[in-house]
Amino acid sequence: MHAFEPFSEAHGPGTRAVLWLQGCTLGCPGCSVPETHPRRGHRVGVDEMFAQFAVLDGWIEGVTITGGEPLQQRRPVLRLLARLRAETSLPVILSTGYTWDEVVRMPGAAALLDRVDALLAGRYERGLRLDRGLRGSSNRTVHLFTDRYTPEDLGAARDAEPAGRADGPEFS
Ligand code: SF4
């Protein structure tokens, strides 16, 4: 993992725990978090990571998982999402640089989409940058799987906190 912030006021509606995964090969021009691109990071197990979220259940609105590229660590991310879904009431927003068409062709796509409340998909495009909201650039798409959030919730959210604000783990 690259970083963990337990009480972020950005990265989605309400106060959220944010996990930045380490490692991304997608290379979007203008990416604001190039420090998340190398694969090497702080290694952490899924159970340890889950425990950091679980103690926050009832204290925060939800969880945001971003990167780096979460879906380049798909297996541990799916295991973490399964535990969050089964053992907490925390809704999850996951942001990926993969497009929707790429996501739905990935192994485990059905499980992924069953375990998140909202998915933001697509490469960041500098020329289409948005000043507000979680999408980052207007080409990126929003996919909602529960009634927990609306497109307006995600469009109004601040996204001003830099990655790496807090120290935290990378999946091993
Ligand atoms: S997918 Fe995200 S982390 Fe990766 S290059 Fe694009 S904006 Fe940066």
Side-chain angles (χ1 to χ4, degrees):
M1 136 169 128
H2 177 75
F4 177 70
E5 164 58 57
F7 300 108
S8 170
E9 298 298 330
H11 299 98
T15 302
R16 312 187 70 81
V18 183
L19 172 63
W20 289 267
L21 276 300
Q22 184 72 35
C24 179
T25 61
L26 297 183
C28 307
C31 171
S32 63
V33 286
E35 65 276 18
T36 67
H37 294 180
R39 185 57 195 265
R40 266 206 315 251
H42 178 54
R43 295 169 75 89
V44 62
V46 169
D47 292 342
E48 182 186 345
M49 193 66 248
F50 171 76
Q52 294 194 47
F53 284 117
V55 296
L56 300 169
D57 195 7
W59 297 93
I60 59 174
E61 157 60 29
V63 168
T64 299
I65 298 177
T66 185
E69 179 43 63
L71 300 187
Q72 290 182 354
Q73 300 186 53
R74 202 163 53 248
R75 289 167 67 179
V77 166
L78 283 173
R79 294 207 313 273
L80 175 64
L81 292 173
R83 292 203 65 183
L84 287 169
R85 189 58 107 206
E87 300 174 52
T88 78
S89 62
L90 294 166
V92 176
I93 298 171
L94 188 141
S95 179
T96 175
Y98 288 104
T99 64
W100 174 251
D101 287 348
E102 291 170 326
V103 170
V104 296
R105 288 199 303 268
M106 289 177 179
L112 170 71
L113 303 182
D114 191 47
R115 295 170 191 176
V116 298
D117 295 84
L119 180 83
L120 306 171
R123 311 289 191 278
Y124 172 70
E125 290 197 19
R126 180 170 36 196
L128 299 175
R129 183 179 185 280
L130 297 169
D131 290 334
R132 197 165 180 83
L134 287 186
R135 280 197 298 159
S137 58
S138 60
N139 60 300
R140 302 188 72 228
T141 55
V142 176
H143 308 271
L144 302 174
F145 306 103
T146 68
D147 59 6
R148 195 74 181 245
Y149 299 121
T150 66
E152 291 71 30
D153 290 334
L154 304 184
R158 286 177 53 229
D159 189 16
E161 255 173 10
R165 203 183 101 162
D167 210 9
E170 171 198 21
F171 283 130
S172 51

